Amino acid sequence: MMSITPAASPAWQALQTHAKTMHQITLQDLFAHDEQRFDRFSLSLNGLLLDYSKNRITDETLQLLLNLAEATQLPQMREALFTGEAVNLTEGRAALHTALRDPRRDGAVGGDMTILPQIHAVLDQMQDCVQRIREGDWKGFTDEPITDVVNIGIGGSDLGPLMVCEALRPYAHPRLRMHFVSNIDAAHLLQALAGLKPQTTLFIIASKTFTTQETLTNAHSARRWFLEQGGQEEDIAKHFVAISTNPRAVSEFGIDPANRFGFWDWVGGRYSLWSAIGLSIAISVGMDRFRELLAGAHAMDQHFRKAPLARNMPVILGLLGVWYHNFLGATAHAVLPYDQPLHRLPAYLQQLDMESNGKSVDRQGRAVHYSTGPIIFGEPGTNGQHAFYQLIHQGSHLIPCDFLAPCQSHYPLGEHHEMLLANMLAQAEALMQGKTQEQVAHEMQEAGHSPAEIAALAPHRVFAGNRPSNTLLFPKLDPKTLGMLLALYEHKVFVQGVIWNINSFDQWGVELGKQLARQVLKDLRQDAPPSPHDASTQALIQTVRRYRQSS
Ligand SMILES: O=P(O)(O)OC[C@H]1O[C@H](O)[C@H](O)[C@@H](O)[C@@H]1O
């Protein structure tokens, strides 16, 4: 464990010095003087290609970054992760999501022989349930098969399952419609329930803690809806299942213990889609596909654990992020999937990355004086191009981008997919190459513009270029590839957390707002006695009360 802060290490200081040189060198120069650049700065694993050559790095940059990884004990921390050490220091817990995708049914995980059998017992329980639902043997209270599955959960109990169900929709069961309700806003629940029939609907209440306000409130409202629509108390067992680490709360809610799918405190919420929290995924695409998803993640786990740091995809992606955020002044990172089925990937990665690494205290409880987790944002291509790419191309921020695309689409239609891919490759090229004032002037001249017009407009049409990106290409978005991709990002986030010496596995920053909301909820009641708030909050509460009364 680090006793000095990473920023005080010689490796960090060497990178700071090196960054001064690299500020003078452009990507265009780097490509112009190196024909082997793609070969040296690309990696592939089971068909997943990572091209990281369009980054502002040289061999020396990478070497210095690798020195930083060694200095911050990345190899030791990686082993601690896989062997179930309590890497989540503030909660005294392991983070063993990698064990969830271990295909071995028994054997030791960090000396513990009980973990793998427990994981596989739950997978078998899931398999049984999934099979019955998919084959129509799981019957509702009128003896009809289930047609609609509503996953009620939030954060890690929603984003992962929703994103994967969307991504793997080409594999979805034709009879089963999946719905996801997360927001406390009743619009979300009521819109999902509109048109559903209680007798053919299955609710999955997904909550690690089973205490989350949004999920419990939505679950109780769903139960009320079920009873109001003709279901009886004794029918609840056929229509409600729960996924939770908290058996008592599940029973108190009234769910049959046989319908509880368990997991463990060593599975973090944002790392939980591989556990029973993935039940909605398995129902939608089948247990075989779910196991393929796990196998893809396992392949990436093996690669991360065993490949040398210099040829290790998650390590490389993590180090590149550190390079930009700590040495070249970037604060954001864009994730740009050129694949509509991956449209929820940026939202999923926002939680994975920003909840994991949005920290400003290190593992020893000291304030950090360097930048940590980036702001993650993105939209599927080509939508983003017509919205925020302007800022990425010509704005004053440096925003490294990840472009992702399958080379073949599950939805072949005319030239759509070629056009989609052409757009992605062109964007990465444009960001890097840019367009000089001379090129702009020449183009404008050719198009018949007057010298006055050229003088006035050319500066606005210049692209500085030198803007970095990674490209991830794969043959097709199948479950295995998706598993690899998601584990790649999980480990990237881990690598960065280790280098920043922060705990990537807690999330205390979400607590204060929840705590204050309890008091504000009381204060919103019309007859609530005054309670101490700042003048702004007080006035807003009064306004809400007034407006609610007048409607
Ligand atoms: O699964 P649950 O216990 O309901 O938690 C749902 C979510 O809420 C919390 O506030 C955390 O910020 C998330 O990491 C978690 O995934």
Side-chain angles (χ1 to χ4, degrees), residues 60-374:
E60 187 186 357
T61 320
L62 261 191
Q63 190 49 56
L64 293 173
L65 287 165
L66 290 165
N67 294 348
L68 180 63
E70 296 282 358
T72 51
Q73 302 185 345
L74 176 63
Q76 294 89 324
M77 289 297 287
R78 177 180 56 180
E79 215 38 34
L81 175 77
F82 278 93
T83 54
E85 279 183 39
V87 289
N88 178 357
L89 288 175
T90 60
E91 296 178 297
R93 289 174 184 169
L96 268 176
H97 40 283
T98 53
L100 297 170
R101 37 259 189 165
D102 192 328
R104 293 174 303 151
R105 289 192 156 255
D106 43 41
V109 173
D112 189 331
M113 301 293 288
T114 64
I115 289 177
L116 292 175
Q118 288 184 67
I119 290 170
H120 284 273
V122 175
L123 284 171
D124 291 344
Q125 185 195 359
M126 287 168 70
Q127 174 135 11
D128 176 58
C129 163
V130 163
Q131 213 164 329
R132 284 164 58 212
I133 293 169
R134 290 172 61 86
E135 289 174 8
D137 297 335
W138 181 300
K139 300 271 175 29
F141 65 87
T142 53
D143 236 17
E144 291 170 77
I146 299 297
T147 56
D148 293 87
V149 177
V150 184
N151 187 86
I152 298 181
I154 197 164
S157 302
D158 167 73
L159 287 163
L162 168 57
M163 177 270 297
V164 175
C165 281
E166 287 292 292
L168 298 183
R169 220 199 276 200
Y171 300 88
H173 191 289
R175 171 174 33 86
L176 295 163
R177 287 179 295 264
M178 313 306 294
H179 312 265
F180 289 84
V181 174
S182 50
N183 201 332
I184 190 74
D185 188 333
H188 206 181
L189 178 67
L190 293 178
Q191 286 174 4
L193 293 180
L196 298 194
K197 295 191 291 182
Q199 61 271 31
T200 53
T201 299
L202 178 76
F203 292 96
I204 301 177
I205 316 301
S207 175
K208 180 177 172 182
T209 55
F210 229 75
T211 57
T212 304
Q213 186 196 47
E214 292 88 338
T215 301
L216 270 284
T217 306
N218 279 324
H220 280 287
S221 296
R223 196 174 116 133
R224 215 169 303 120
W225 173 87
F226 175 78
L227 296 173
E228 284 164 9
Q229 300 284 313
Q232 303 295 314
E233 283 287 344
E234 62 269 24
D235 301 325
I236 298 262
K238 293 178 181 151
H239 293 272
F240 284 79
V241 303
I243 308 158
S244 182
T245 58
N246 184 348
R248 193 143 59 119
V250 170
S251 299
E252 278 165 16
F253 182 85
I255 290 178
D256 187 343
N259 285 349
R260 183 184 76 92
F261 297 82
F263 62 115
W264 307 272
D265 68 0
W266 42 258
V267 181
R270 53 193 173 276
Y271 300 88
S272 65
L273 73 87
W274 322 98
S275 71
I277 289 289
L279 184 64
S280 51
I281 302 169
I283 291 173
S284 175
V285 302
M287 203 61 198
D288 289 349
R289 301 290 193 202
F290 186 70
R291 288 185 195 271
E292 286 168 21
L293 182 78
L294 300 183
H298 181 65
M300 185 56 74
D301 293 341
Q302 300 281 91
H303 166 79
F304 176 50
R305 192 171 182 181
K306 296 194 176 138
L309 298 189
R311 307 292 299 162
N312 193 308
M313 273 194 205
V315 173
I316 295 291
L317 283 188
L319 291 177
L320 289 169
V322 168
W323 173 235
Y324 291 118
H325 299 294
N326 297 108
F327 302 99
L328 296 188
T331 51
H333 184 95
V335 181
L336 309 165
Y338 277 66
D339 187 47
Q340 187 61 25
L342 282 176
H343 71 115
R344 292 296 290 168
L345 182 68
Y348 165 80
L349 291 180
Q350 279 176 335
Q351 188 201 16
L352 177 66
D353 202 323
M354 295 165 82
E355 202 171 67
S356 296
N357 287 344
K359 312 284 163 68
S360 41
V361 166
D362 73 10
R363 290 168 63 82
Q364 287 74 36
R366 302 168 298 198
V368 301
H369 300 293
Y370 42 87
S371 136
T372 59

